[in-house]
Amino acid sequence: MNTLFMVFEGNCQTAQIYFKKGIEKDSLKDFHGAIEAFSKAIKIDPKFSIAYLYRGETKSYIKDDNGAIADYTKAIEIDPTNSEAYFSRGMSKGILEDNNGAIIDFTKAIEIDPKNFYSYYNRGRAKGSLDDYKGAMADFSKAIEIDPNQSDAYFNRALLKNDLQDTRGAISDLSKAIEIDPTAIDYYYRGTLRSALQDNKGAMADYFKTIEIDPTFSDAYFNRGVLKNDLNDYYGAIADYSKTIELNPKNEKAYFNRGILRIKSGQKESGCMDLSKAGELGSDEAYEAIKQLCNQ
């Protein structure tokens, strides 16, 4: 009996050695080496639920989400109280666009660990993908209640509020996201919403900030150009449309708008060339404008 216990104890220790090797290899981004080490640990100790969990997470890193789901399922079979295994399986199901399955797993993770921000947040995203806006809103709000310092939850709730025509509520959430962790996309979306409410000054400031953070954000230049056009700053608008085209040469609207403004500014030849380019890129209104403004 003592011999059997010693063999079992020895096997467990050996499994732990391979498990730790797997963690080390994973930290060095040697994912295939990590999977091999975790597999050896599992072969020695087939009931090693955490090894299945870690191997599943590593498989997910290399985009083998079907393999990851199989490992998470095994981890859950061994230890049905492992909330992380349900959460991770939900994430992989979401990647594979099985949002209903993801919601079931996130819900189980929440039952086991009701204070987990990420389970509510990702369940909210899955519900949003299924157009369950009310459920998604509730989950994002609960996630924010658990951890009010996660900007992504405010950002996603803002997008949802905008879809539900609550533009001011969306702006409020984007402002909170910016307060926590300002990003170019936060400023850009707030700018578009401010513009929709005719807050041109606020929108302009947001587009400037977007470009300051990310000078390659072509849509921010385009939208700022539209605002400058509305404010009769034609040369400023032309400059922004030109930058948009430099960053995204297939933006037909930028060519069209620049063409119209160039013609208005007395640059008929270059303006008509812009309209022609917009037409080549698929703009039907460009050809109508050419008939009226260029073929005379």
Side-chain angles (χ1 to χ4, degrees):
M1 196 71 171
N2 287 338
T3 303
L4 284 173
F5 176 76
M6 289 172 64
V7 170
F8 175 75
E9 185 178 37
N11 284 345
C12 288
Q13 289 175 349
T14 305
Q16 283 287 347
I17 290 169
Y18 281 113
F19 178 70
K20 289 177 181 177
K21 282 184 180 179
I23 293 174
E24 289 172 7
K25 288 180 181 292
D26 186 84
S27 68
L28 296 172
K29 301 191 184 302
D30 177 9
F31 299 131
H32 292 285
I35 289 170
E36 183 180 352
F38 291 137
S39 296
K40 287 180 179 178
I42 289 166
K43 185 175 182 180
I44 294 166
D45 180 5
K47 296 293 184 182
F48 200 163
S49 66
I50 301 300
Y52 282 105
L53 173 63
Y54 275 60
R55 189 174 71 176
E57 290 176 347
T58 307
K59 286 179 178 178
S60 185
Y61 291 148
I62 61 172
K63 303 190 184 304
D64 177 14
D65 282 288
N66 284 309
I69 288 171
D71 276 345
Y72 299 141
T73 300
K74 188 65 179 178
I76 291 165
E77 180 185 312
I78 296 167
D79 180 7
T81 66
N82 190 330
S83 64
E84 190 174 349
Y86 283 105
F87 171 80
S88 295
R89 191 171 70 176
M91 291 297 291
S92 284
K93 287 180 178 179
I95 290 168
L96 296 175
E97 299 184 358
D98 176 12
N99 287 304
N100 284 307
I103 288 168
I104 291 170
D105 278 343
F106 292 138
T107 300
K108 188 63 180 179
I110 288 166
E111 287 176 12
I112 298 168
D113 180 9
K115 294 294 184 182
N116 190 307
F117 164 88
Y118 294 101
S119 294
Y120 281 104
Y121 171 71
N122 285 288
R123 189 175 70 174
R125 292 180 64 193
K127 287 179 177 179
S129 296
L130 296 174
D131 296 333
D132 177 8
Y133 296 143
K134 183 178 179 181
M137 184 78 76
D139 278 345
F140 289 140
S141 296
K142 184 64 179 179
I144 289 167
E145 179 187 318
I146 293 169
D147 187 350
N149 296 311
Q150 294 281 352
S151 61
D152 284 349
Y154 288 101
F155 178 81
N156 279 277
R157 192 172 69 174
L159 297 183
L160 199 60
K161 286 180 177 180
N162 185 48
D163 287 342
L164 295 171
Q165 310 302 314
D166 180 10
T167 306
R168 295 188 186 280
I171 288 172
S172 177
D173 274 349
L174 287 170
S175 296
K176 187 64 180 178
I178 287 168
E179 179 185 321
I180 297 167
D181 181 22
T183 67
I185 196 72
D186 293 332
Y187 280 107
Y188 174 75
Y189 274 116
R190 191 174 69 176
T192 62
L193 296 181
R194 283 177 163 173
S195 182
L197 294 179
Q198 305 302 312
D199 177 10
N200 291 336
K201 183 178 179 181
M204 186 75 77
D206 279 343
Y207 293 139
F208 268 100
K209 194 66 181 178
T210 302
I211 291 164
E212 178 185 318
I213 296 171
D214 182 2
T216 67
F217 205 128
S218 66
D219 285 347
Y221 287 102
F222 179 81
N223 284 6
R224 191 174 69 176
V226 171
L227 278 181
K228 287 179 178 179
N229 185 8
D230 291 342
L231 296 170
N232 298 321
D233 177 10
Y234 297 145
Y235 289 105
I238 287 171
D240 276 345
Y241 293 140
S242 295
K243 188 64 179 180
T244 303
I245 291 165
E246 177 188 324
L247 295 168
N248 179 13
K250 294 186 177 181
N251 189 321
E252 65 187 62
K253 292 181 180 179
Y255 279 106
F256 179 84
N257 288 2
R258 189 176 70 174
I260 295 294
L261 287 184
R262 279 179 165 174
I263 292 170
K264 281 185 178 180
S265 303
Q267 305 170 50
K268 184 174 180 179
E269 184 177 351
S270 60
C272 289
M273 287 177 63
D274 276 347
L275 293 179
S276 178
K277 184 64 177 179
E280 289 175 20
L281 292 171
S283 172
D284 292 333
E285 63 180 343
Y287 290 117
E288 291 300 318
I290 289 170
K291 289 178 185 177
Q292 296 177 23
L293 301 173
C294 301
N295 294 340
Q296 295 178 358

